[in-house]
């Protein structure tokens, strides 16, 4: 169904100046890792560098060291792209790495079904509302939004460069690496002139691995038959709202119940009490059930336009009973001040700009369109939070874009402080709810 745009336009004046603070953590590091088969010959080796986030840097370093010691990443059997489980030196999985060139439609995607799909059905492959082959930025962008808003449901994700024999390289890259290494071994005086030997590092998203979680689908089915204790159900509801907020803001087009994870540890008595003691155990001996969620696989978000197709790419959580509950005061308190502040929203756009601009296919105009969609989503969400609506009511609201106007000063066109809001009067998703 065609979108009817601009039925109603409204000019918003932004009076206050924008105070753009940039978190250098989120930018693509220009450094590359010293991986198992990547060696810098001229000058000192530099690493993926995250000076503002030493904890994250330490995990990346662990993965690099493991690669140095020949511990190779494992390709995930699930999914339609190159998704690798990175290990530490004890072979414990510590992160998930998704190289840009192995994304669903990247030229080195190791899963041939997508390649066939592209070949046999070129007119309907991909999602026409998304910037192609920038999934890794979408992954890192989702983490940025999550951190900035204090949602804390996305395992931290940043852009990293890594090389490994296990990754999918072209025959040419492998041959080049072999030749350089042979020359270096046989004629070191010539080999020393190479900038590097070994396979080229790949740019991609690096997401911290969370332990003890299962696909949301698994636990949601269990919760259907075994109701959660009241306090745990309340905590789960708050976490669920955070996933909703994240997905709505970034307009995630791929949130099935296999793309978020739940960790649930039912109540147990504290260590030391034997089975026989359980009945007599004091309540203080019983631990509260633990529940946590992780929103993974955020690579298909940040569209530059709302999906055209009616009911396309729905948020699958909208079918859950939790989606019918009005947003809590907890989430209102966390978000309303931030989201109603245009400077905060502009800061968020600036941080995303710093992240996205590092891609070699970056296009400023397309980025502005992505931000127009995101601002529109934030506008709707803010209204829904103010009105105490539920997630289902949120996804029924007509979608809106908020475009930043250009103003001409002399001969240069600059971003202005004026925004234009355009509503679409498409039938909303889930009109049957
Ligand atoms: N950060 C993570 N922590 C723990 N498990 C993860 C994480 N990311 C992915 N996984 C596991 O790997 C599987 C595939 O990851 P996903 O990001 O969904 O890749 P794909 O794009 O191939 O669908 C997930 O279903 C999940 O079981
Ligand atoms: Mg997935």
């Amino acid at each position: 169904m065609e979108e009817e745009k601009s039925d109603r336009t409204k000019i918003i004046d932004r009076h206050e100046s924008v105070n753009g603070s940039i978190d250098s953590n989120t930018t693509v590091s220009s450094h590359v890792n010293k991986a198992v088969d990547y060696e810098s010959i001229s000058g000192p080796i530099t690493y993926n560098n995250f000076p503002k986030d030493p904890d994250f840097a330490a995990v990346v370093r662990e993965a690099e060291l493991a690669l140095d010691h020949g511990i190779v990443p494992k390709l995930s059997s699930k999914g339609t792209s190159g998704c690798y489980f990175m290990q530490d030196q004890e072979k414990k999985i510590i992160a998930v790495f998704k190289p840009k060139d192995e994304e669903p439609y990247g030229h080195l995607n190791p899963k041939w079904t997508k390649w066939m799909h592209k070949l046999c059905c070129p007119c309907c492959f991909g999602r026409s509302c998304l910037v192609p082959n920038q999934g890794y930025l979408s992954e890192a962008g989702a983490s940025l939004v999550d951190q900035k808003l204090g949602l804390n449901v996305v395992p931290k994700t940043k852009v990293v460069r890594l090389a490994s024999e296990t990754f999918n390289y072209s025959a040419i890259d492998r041959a080049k690496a072999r030749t350089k290494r042979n020359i270096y071994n046989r004629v070191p005086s010539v080999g020393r002139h190479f900038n590097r030997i070994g396979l080229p590092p790949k740019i991609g998203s690096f997401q911290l691995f969370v332990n003890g979680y299962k696909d949301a689908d698994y636990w949601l089915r269990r919760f259907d038959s075994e109701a959660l204790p009241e306090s745990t159900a309340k905590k789960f509801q708050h976490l669920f709202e955070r996933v909703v907020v994240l997905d709505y803001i970034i307009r995630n087009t791929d949130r099935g119940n296999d793309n978020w994870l739940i960790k649930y540890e039912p109540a147990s008595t504290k260590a030391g009490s034997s089975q026989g003691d359980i009945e007599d155990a004091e309540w203080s001996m019983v631990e509260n059930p633990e529940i946590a969620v992780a929103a993974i696989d955020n690579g298909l978000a940040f569209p530059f336009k709302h999906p055209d197709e009616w009911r396309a790419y729905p948020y699958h959580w909208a079918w859950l009973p939790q989606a019918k509950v009005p947003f809590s005061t907890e989430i209102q308190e966390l978000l309303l001040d931030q989201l109603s502040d245009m400077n905060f929203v502009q800061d968020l756009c600036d941080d995303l700009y710093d992240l996205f601009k590092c891609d070699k296919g970056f296009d400023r105009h397309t980025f502005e369109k992505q931000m127009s969609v995101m601002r529109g989503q934030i506008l709707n969400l803010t209204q829904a939070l103010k009105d105490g609506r539920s997630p289902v009511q949120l996804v029924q609201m007509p979608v809106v874009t908020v475009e930043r106007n250009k103003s001409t000063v002399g001969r240069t066109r600059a971003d202005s402080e004026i925004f234009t809001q355009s509503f679409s009067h498409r039938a909303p998703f889930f009109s049957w709810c």
Side-chain angles (χ1 to χ4, degrees):
M1 186 182 286
E2 271 294 309
E3 260 186 37
E4 285 173 43
K5 277 194 171 167
S6 308
D7 290 335
R8 184 151 54 100
T9 57
K10 187 168 137 196
I11 304 295
I12 308 165
D13 234 313
R14 191 157 165 262
H15 297 292
E16 289 156 72
S17 69
V18 174
N19 177 16
S21 78
I22 292 161
D23 174 6
S24 62
N25 284 343
T26 54
T27 60
V28 178
S29 165
S30 59
H31 305 300
V32 291
N33 74 300
K34 178 197 172 198
V36 63
D37 47 8
Y38 172 74
E39 294 164 32
S40 170
I41 294 168
S42 54
I45 293 161
T46 47
Y47 299 95
N48 291 306
N49 212 358
F50 301 98
K52 286 196 180 169
D53 195 341
D55 291 347
F56 188 85
V59 181
V60 178
R61 184 80 192 108
E62 262 301 318
E64 289 171 343
L65 288 171
L67 290 171
D68 280 347
H69 287 94
I71 298 166
V72 292
K74 289 184 188 149
L75 177 64
S76 160
S77 55
K78 290 191 197 168
T80 50
S81 59
C83 167
Y84 296 90
F85 296 113
M86 308 303 300
Q87 304 173 76
D88 66 8
Q89 293 180 79
E90 275 76 54
K91 300 202 174 167
K92 185 175 148 235
I93 297 175
I94 52 173
V96 173
F97 182 63
K98 297 186 181 177
K100 169 182 166 76
D101 63 11
E102 298 187 31
E103 285 177 9
Y105 301 104
H107 67 290
L108 288 171
N109 179 6
K111 309 273 174 79
W112 62 272
T113 43
K114 276 280 160 183
W115 180 80
M116 285 291 285
H117 183 192
K118 186 175 170 181
L119 195 76
C120 305
C121 192
C123 49
C124 57
F125 90 90
R127 290 173 194 210
S128 60
C129 55
L130 296 177
V131 186
N133 204 200
Q134 290 190 357
Y136 75 113
L137 292 180
S138 175
E139 295 269 7
S143 175
L144 189 157
V145 170
D146 174 75
Q147 294 285 303
K148 186 105 180 157
L149 294 173
L151 299 171
N152 297 322
V153 289
V154 179
K156 207 173 271 177
T157 316
K158 291 180 194 286
V159 173
V160 160
R161 287 165 198 253
L162 295 171
S164 166
E165 277 289 343
T166 317
F167 298 158
N168 199 27
Y169 283 98
S170 65
I172 294 178
D173 273 340
R174 288 194 189 272
K176 265 197 215 161
R178 261 196 316 273
T179 311
K180 281 185 176 179
R181 181 167 292 283
N182 285 342
I183 295 174
Y184 184 73
N185 289 341
R186 286 180 199 165
V187 199
S189 57
V190 176
R192 264 194 289 278
H193 293 286
F194 296 138
N195 281 332
R196 60 173 167 78
I197 54 171
L199 291 164
K202 290 188 179 225
I203 194 165
S205 60
F206 184 99
Q207 180 173 80
L208 301 186
F209 188 84
V210 290
N211 287 293
Y213 287 68
K214 285 191 163 68
D215 284 2
D217 202 39
Y218 172 88
W219 282 117
L220 291 168
R221 282 170 201 275
R222 290 277 298 267
F223 299 161
D224 265 353
S225 50
E226 299 162 37
L228 286 169
E230 203 182 313
S231 65
T232 316
K234 198 168 165 201
K235 180 155 186 222
F236 180 62
Q237 182 69 29
H238 289 163
L239 294 168
F240 171 79
E241 287 175 344
R242 288 169 184 237
V243 176
V244 168
V245 163
L246 172 84
D247 281 350
Y248 195 78
I249 291 182
I250 67 176
R251 191 19 179 135
N252 196 344
T253 65
D254 193 29
R255 181 68 72 214
N257 291 336
D258 54 342
N259 279 338
W260 58 295
L261 310 175
I262 298 176
K263 181 179 187 171
Y264 178 56
E265 283 166 9
S268 60
T269 51
K270 284 178 185 157
S273 52
S274 70
Q275 192 62 36
D277 295 337
I278 290 176
E279 276 179 22
D280 307 326
E282 289 178 27
W283 278 113
S284 61
M285 298 284 285
V286 180
E287 285 180 352
N288 276 332
E290 274 297 316
I291 196 150
V293 307
I296 57 154
D297 206 357
N298 301 305
L300 295 173
F302 298 100
F304 57 85
K305 61 173 186 167
H306 289 283
D308 291 333
E309 307 84 3
W310 186 57
R311 287 188 188 178
Y313 318 125
Y315 310 95
H316 284 269
W317 40 248
W319 278 277
L320 299 174
Q322 287 82 359
K324 296 197 174 124
V325 179
F327 283 111
S328 65
T329 44
E330 195 221 28
I331 198 100
Q332 287 169 332
E333 279 164 15
L334 176 70
L335 296 176
L336 264 179
D337 284 352
Q338 304 188 84
L339 295 182
S340 328
D341 176 357
M342 296 198 91
N343 288 330
F344 177 87
V345 175
Q346 188 55 45
D347 268 2
L348 184 62
C349 296
D350 291 345
D351 287 355
L352 287 168
Y353 171 75
D354 262 18
L355 173 68
F356 285 19
K357 73 173 187 222
C358 299
D359 187 80
K360 59 177 190 284
F362 178 76
D363 173 62
R364 181 74 204 234
H365 179 65
T366 310
F367 174 77
E368 286 305 333
K369 285 162 88 180
Q370 289 174 290
M371 294 303 99
S372 301
V373 172
M374 191 179 81
R375 282 195 200 92
Q377 295 292 92
I378 290 177
L379 196 71
N380 269 0
L381 176 66
T382 310
Q383 198 56 52
L385 287 171
K386 277 184 187 153
D387 297 348
R389 299 188 194 189
S390 66
V392 166
Q393 288 170 325
L394 171 67
V395 298
Q396 286 179 306
M397 291 170 79
V399 291
V400 56
T401 53
V402 178
E403 224 172 301
R404 188 172 192 173
N405 291 5
K406 293 273 174 198
S407 64
T408 308
V409 183
R411 291 173 64 187
T412 51
R413 269 166 71 74
D415 292 331
S416 80
E417 304 297 295
I418 312 282
F419 291 84
T420 306
Q421 196 175 312
S422 318
F423 285 86
S424 160
H425 284 263
R426 255 176 329 126
F429 298 133
F430 309 112
S431 52
W432 43 268
C433 284

